[in-house]
Amino acid sequence: MPAGRPSSYDPQVAADICMSISTCTNSLESILASNEIFPSKPAFYRWMLDHSELRDLYAHAKEEQLQILADEIQPIADTPQMGEIITVKGEEREVKMCDMLEHRKLRIESRKWLLSKLAPKKYGDKTALTGADGGAIQIVSTIPRHSGTIEER
């Protein structure tokens, strides 16, 4: 077998890749790089172009991966992450230990943004205007109507 990553489609390898995707938040690139039997990223995309069953499996795996991202938000919000803030003033350095609140906010906001873009129906902001119980909007006028012409008023 020639050196390098495989490029011939293997249904079991494709299933293993999708299993990895569905059980972690790592990128496709890092998952493919993690195992020498996995193909390169361009080869994997070619596999998806040529095999509809892989496209379906990949789409399902990505949906599961999004749920993992969503499930991570609450623990990130609830768990303090201690770190150092170093302030340098001239020759002096001040080191303060505190919760890395801004870092946690960034992690949460990036997950929320990604979820809203990749699965807007499930995680996006509701943009449709509806009435009671999701029905049509009822417009009620409270401006009194006058009869007659403008001159008569």
Side-chain angles (χ1 to χ4, degrees), residues 29-147:
E29 190 168 359
S30 67
I31 289 169
L32 294 175
S34 71
N35 192 325
E36 63 188 28
I37 67 165
F38 290 168
S40 66
K41 192 173 170 184
F44 184 74
Y45 284 131
R46 279 194 306 275
W47 287 8
M48 282 201 296
L49 286 173
D50 296 339
H51 302 278
S52 63
E53 70 277 2
L54 176 56
R55 287 192 299 272
D56 295 340
L57 194 60
Y58 180 76
H60 184 71
K62 290 303 283 185
E63 286 176 15
E64 291 178 8
Q65 190 179 53
L66 290 175
Q67 187 58 50
I68 293 170
L69 281 171
D71 291 343
E72 287 180 344
I73 292 174
Q74 193 68 42
I76 292 169
D78 292 344
T79 308
Q81 184 177 0
M82 299 306 290
E84 293 180 349
I85 294 180
I86 301 172
T87 307
V88 178
K89 294 180 182 175
E91 295 292 319
E92 290 186 32
R93 283 181 58 173
E94 180 184 331
V95 179
K96 184 168 73 170
M97 290 294 293
C98 62
D99 182 8
M100 303 304 288
L101 187 58
E102 293 301 317
H103 178 68
R104 290 192 298 139
K105 285 180 183 178
L106 176 63
R107 292 178 66 203
I108 290 167
E109 288 303 315
S110 64
R111 281 161 176 76
K112 286 171 53 178
W113 181 87
L114 191 61
L115 290 166
S116 73
K117 300 304 176 197
L118 296 178
K121 287 183 181 177
K122 186 172 184 180
Y123 299 108
D125 294 330
K126 182 180 176 186
T127 56
L129 298 176
T130 60
D133 300 322
I137 296 174
Q138 300 279 332
I139 298 176
V140 178
S141 175
T142 58
I143 301 172
R145 293 189 175 238
H146 294 287
S147 60

